[in-house]
Amino acid sequence: MNNITVSSQFISDNFLQAIKDGHVHAFFQPVIRTMTGRICNVEALARWEDPKHGMIAPMELINELEKADLIYELDMEILRQTCLFYNELKDRGTPIHSFSVNLSRHDFKQEDLFDRISGILKEHSVSPDAINLEITESDMLDDADTFHKLFVQFTDAGFSFWIDDFGSGYSSLNMLKNYRFDVLKFDLQFLQDFSLKNRQILAPMTSMAKSLGIHTVAEGVEYQEQYDFLRSIGCEALQGFLFSRPLSKADFLEYLKQHPGIIEPEQEKEYWNKAGNLDLLSATPLESFNDDPLSENVKETESFIEAPLAIIEIGNNRVTHIYASNEYLKNIRELGYPSLEKLERAYNERISDQYLILKRMIMNTIGKDTVQVVDYIRNNIYYNVRSRCLALLQDKAIVAVQLTIFETENKTKTTDEIMRYSGALFATYEMAIIIHPKENYSERVFSRMGIQSYATMGGLRETVDIFIRNEVDERDQERYRAFLDLDTLEERVAKEGFIQNFFRMKSSGDWKSIRISKIPSDTESLYLYTIQSILKEENDRMNEYLLDHPDL
Ligand code: C2E
Ligand code: MG
Ligand code: MG
């Protein structure tokens, strides 16, 4: 039935009689638990079906009733019908443990609000923890003192408050600070405009709610991709046309019949609520898990960890740290640098070749939009450095560097040994990659060349293409392409077990020895691809040789 518009006069004149005549109904919309797909709550929404005029548009109805000071009567009527339905479902053997009703800001001006609501519940023997009260931010604006008193009175009696339309008003964050809400319902508009921006707002809001022990519901879920996104950020419950429109009582019963087993049993409510508190977006989801959401004090433990991150400025070929996180300082200490100053000296005064390589990588990121990655082994510690240019100004640049150490947790003799030999491997080659031709991908074992990771979704051929374009000197690109020709690779490698040739790279202009060898494997043909620098004399010899053999 289409919603119709009637005059405000019609609404205020006929509303109370319409209740008496049974034309005002609660419609019911299921709220679905994201993790299980079962109903964890049902929202009651008001509908006035006039026999002559048809269904009166709900938003208009609410607005007019608020103006005419009749909204309180509507809300109490919807609450009464909700209690009746709650009991009816119980009697039918299909109990639903939670319902929510909407309250208007005007209700909080009614002196008997608490008594009337408790009275309706008592009359129908419904416990306050079965009925959640949805309120919006504006509800608490009018008279903060009265609101506060009522809030305490209701929560002490066992009611829960849900914030409706969260994010649509002005004071959302203040409300969270001042009151203990059970659930936060994201405003419909975030999904109606399912833009990247709105997704970027929803994700941290979900995290924030969890860190405060507040559950999250998204309303207005209409499409599978919204569902998938909300599941991925850990939003706990979903409401919307994707699952069901608000239904009349009869249609709702039919819906339950069509979906046997869809109701979440009451004893599982707390169980799933607890699991829902896991913050999927936290860097330390296990540590920051807040298992007692109703505890008065928000957990003291920080729900985030610092990344081992530094921000570095480069100018005049010198490196200066602008910022270093504690994790970063800890990691550089493990590498043998007691302070940032010591590390900067290593960078700026060429104390070790390793840092020259590192510095070259950092220099290499300047002006590029990619993340450069380098692996190292130092003092038997395997570490990985990633960097990215943040900003450029004339001859200066700001670069972020992340330095991660891979712990060998149970240091045994074997791992020491492995570390030592991988150290040797590491010293020999600048980069090692495993090629899986059958599975069409390549896997970086390590790289200390300071080049980005080239593995792409497009598979091996695309990876090779991009690598050639970005890294191989123009003069050698064609030869390199033939060398890496995947169609003939197997055949060529089979002859001697490996193929090898020399190519110049863009980054340094030096010659590199590139070798592809077959890795013994029963199941699949695997190849080890390595890049090795050659000695300076050899490098010069190569250049001389090239002068004599320009057609190499
Ligand atoms: P609300 O409490 O935020 O209710 C959700 C609204 O979103 C409902 O509109 C519902 O029909 C609609 N909705 C649910 N799923 C979807 C979806 O997937 N897509 C879209 N586009 N919409 C969806 P409805 O029933 O028209 O109610 C509008 C508003 O009127 C409610 O917003 C609530 O603020 C108010 N309201 C409804 N019933 C009552 C009531 O009994 N008392 C009071 N005070 N306000 C009520
Ligand atoms: Mg609502
Ligand atoms: Mg809403």
Side-chain angles (χ1 to χ4, degrees), residues 43-45 100-102 134-136 164-165 185 219 239:
E43 179 172 12
L45 293 156
S100 58
V101 296
N102 294 282
E134 294 195 10
I135 60 175
T136 62
D164 205 352
D165 305 339
K185 262 188 156 184
E219 56 185 352
Q239 178 180 356

Side-chain angles (χ1 to χ4, degrees), residues 29 43-47 58-59 62 66 71 74-75 78 102-104 107 134 136 164-165 185 188 192 219-222 239-242 244 246:
Q29 188 177 30
E43 179 172 12
L45 293 156
R47 296 289 183 269
M59 283 311 284
I62 307 298
E66 285 189 339
I71 190 75
L74 174 76
D75 290 345
I78 297 300
N102 294 282
L103 295 183
S104 157
D107 297 344
E134 294 195 10
T136 62
D164 205 352
D165 305 339
K185 262 188 156 184
L188 224 76
Q192 264 164 8
E219 56 185 352
V221 183
E222 295 183 4
Q239 178 180 356
F241 299 165
L242 180 64
S244 167

Side-chain angles (χ1 to χ4, degrees), residues 468-528:
I468 292 175
R469 241 183 291 132
N470 289 357
E471 302 294 342
V472 181
D473 190 300
E474 270 95 9
R475 291 167 290 183
D476 293 342
Q477 284 188 352
E478 206 174 307
R479 265 189 329 111
Y480 188 93
R481 194 162 278 130
F483 179 74
L484 253 171
D485 179 13
L486 294 166
D487 296 329
T488 58
L489 185 66
E490 177 150 24
E491 198 185 309
R492 286 178 293 134
V493 171
K495 282 186 198 143
E496 296 190 50
F498 70 91
I499 54 173
Q500 181 178 17
N501 212 322
F502 297 90
F503 301 94
R504 283 162 293 195
M505 294 288 145
K506 272 184 177 165
S507 55
S508 60
D510 292 344
W511 288 93
K512 306 279 179 196
S513 155
I514 296 187
R515 176 194 273 249
I516 302 177
S517 5
K518 192 160 165 65
I519 302 173
S521 159
D522 298 337
T523 48
E524 122 185 74
S525 324
L526 297 181
Y527 298 95
L528 177 67

Side-chain angles (χ1 to χ4, degrees), residues 273-284:
N273 273 348
K274 277 195 173 183
N277 281 315
L278 186 72
D279 182 358
L280 307 188
L281 304 178
S282 163
T284 51

